[in-house]
Amino acid sequence: MREFDYRRAHDVPGALALLDADPQARFLGGGTNLVDLMKTGVERPARLVDVRDLPLDRVESTPDGGLRIGATVTNSDLAAHPEIRRRYPALTQAVLAGASGQLRNMATVGGNLLQRTRCGYFADVTKPCNKRVPGSGCPAIEGEHHNHAVLGASEHCVATHPSDMGVALAAFDAVVSYETPDGPGALPFADFYLPVGDTPHRETALPPGALITGVTLPPAPVAARSRYRKVRERASYAFAIGSLAAALDVRDGVVHDVRLAFGAVASRPWRARTAERVLVGATADAETFAAAADAELAAARPLPHNAYKVTLTRNLVVAELTRLTEEAAR
């Protein structure tokens, strides 16, 4: 591991100043992803600016009835928060589906959003990778890609985003707040992650040197009737091969409101807006749910060894929307 300087920040302006003083510096939250990548040589910051002491560790109600989650709230505290559990249960379920209890105790909300892909070629500095070394190639396309993207990929990168939390945040139209030396800013979750295109090394729309300060969940009554389902290759402590955040409001057998987001199928949490448009105003039954999933997945471009993800995601949509419909009828 490269030697690095370590500084602890106690306020947001101080954190920004420490990062601004060294272009090779990185912010450090829980370190559950960044430190691993430093050990393998993928990340080589000259300085780490520890932001765990910043006053960003609370979940608070907003005036319009939403919730604001501070960037240093741990995953464990987020999942256990009573208002998250009551108003956005899919978010609680998504967080609990990620990693282990020990890691959730360390990992932070801001860090979770910025975690890097778990693609094996990205993590191995002896292999080419356009995300790590732009222009070097994407060996996953012809190599090992059974857990890679089927939506929104490009000839330059087929890696997937690993976050469970991000899938639920995508479904509920979260907004990411940040600070820069030039002042504050905010990004709707739909714009936070950049399309892969021919620049897969550019992952988010955050300005250079920006510090994530929080995530705001707007009021969403439908979110109270939501679920998160994760499919993985072993029972625990594994990244998804497919996942779904779903919320559904059915009235008199007709879909009144719905939210859907897919995980482990693209370089970012995938909001299924085409499927949502098919569903709103339609009969809430398995046939409709399957048609909506098919409409969204029509854009899928699977590789030879990951086409199963299309069928898996379709089945997740039908199963979880059916379950939500049955729960609402009780």
Side-chain angles (χ1 to χ4, degrees):
M1 182 186 289
R2 176 187 182 183
E3 291 187 3
F4 59 89
D5 180 40
Y6 172 85
R7 303 292 181 91
R8 187 184 296 271
H10 300 286
D11 54 47
V12 171
L16 293 171
L18 285 168
L19 194 80
D20 192 50
D22 188 336
Q24 295 188 61
R26 293 288 304 275
F27 290 124
L28 175 71
T32 57
N33 182 217
L34 176 58
V35 173
D36 282 348
L37 293 176
M38 290 171 64
K39 290 177 180 178
T40 60
V42 174
E43 295 276 6
R44 295 175 57 82
R47 168 182 290 177
L48 293 182
V49 179
D50 193 328
V51 297
R52 288 295 291 266
D53 283 351
L54 301 187
L56 304 172
D57 59 349
R58 300 181 63 187
V59 178
E60 302 171 302
S61 295
T62 59
D64 63 355
L67 290 175
R68 189 180 189 282
I69 305 162
T72 64
V73 171
T74 67
N75 289 15
S76 291
D77 287 346
L78 178 66
H81 195 279
E83 287 302 297
I84 296 292
R85 295 174 63 186
R86 181 175 70 87
R87 294 157 63 179
Y88 303 90
L91 179 53
T92 287
Q93 294 165 14
V95 174
L96 292 176
S100 65
Q102 295 94 327
L103 288 174
R104 291 195 296 269
N105 288 342
M106 287 295 296
T108 62
V109 169
N112 186 284
L113 300 182
L114 296 176
Q115 64 182 301
R116 313 293 300 276
T117 182
R118 262 55 179 196
C119 173
Y121 298 103
F122 170 78
D124 185 348
V125 295
T126 69
K127 300 292 194 299
C129 171
N130 285 326
K131 188 178 285 292
R132 181 167 31 79
V133 183
S136 62
C138 179
I141 293 174
E142 299 294 333
E144 173 54 51
H145 56 245
H146 86 283
N147 195 22
H148 285 60
V150 297
L151 289 167
S154 79
E155 63 183 5
H156 302 284
C157 182
V158 293
T160 58
H161 197 273
S163 176
D164 293 291
M165 177 192 299
V167 181
L169 293 177
F172 301 139
D173 298 311
V175 176
V176 180
S177 301
Y178 62 85
E179 288 278 352
T180 72
D182 297 323
L187 284 166
F189 210 78
D191 301 328
F192 182 75
Y193 295 107
L194 296 173
V196 175
D198 57 2
T199 56
H201 59 288
R202 297 184 62 237
E203 296 177 348
T204 77
L206 284 172
L211 170 67
I212 294 176
T213 54
V215 176
T216 300
L217 288 167
V222 69
R225 295 174 292 277
S226 63
R227 298 181 56 85
Y228 182 76
R229 177 82 178 275
K230 178 177 182 177
V231 179
R232 42 195 161 187
E233 293 179 322
R234 61 175 185 261
S236 66
Y237 195 40
F239 294 99
I241 58 173
S243 66
L244 172 72
L248 186 66
D249 181 4
V250 176
R251 303 181 186 181
D252 298 323
V254 174
V255 177
H256 177 74
D257 195 6
V258 62
R259 306 291 176 87
L260 293 173
F262 304 159
V265 295
S267 64
R268 61 192 189 275
W270 187 271
R271 179 69 179 272
R273 295 190 183 277
T274 298
E276 291 175 355
R277 288 193 289 270
V278 171
L279 287 166
V280 172
T283 303
D285 58 28
E287 183 177 353
T288 301
F289 302 153
D294 289 341
E296 187 69 44
L297 294 164
R301 299 293 180 267
L303 295 165
H305 304 299
N306 68 357
Y308 73 92
K309 287 195 173 190
V310 177
T311 303
L312 173 62
T313 303
R314 183 184 193 267
N315 290 345
L316 282 175
V317 171
V318 174
E320 295 311 302
L321 291 182
T322 297
R323 183 173 299 183
L324 285 167
T325 301
E326 292 171 349
E327 290 175 354
R330 291 173 188 165

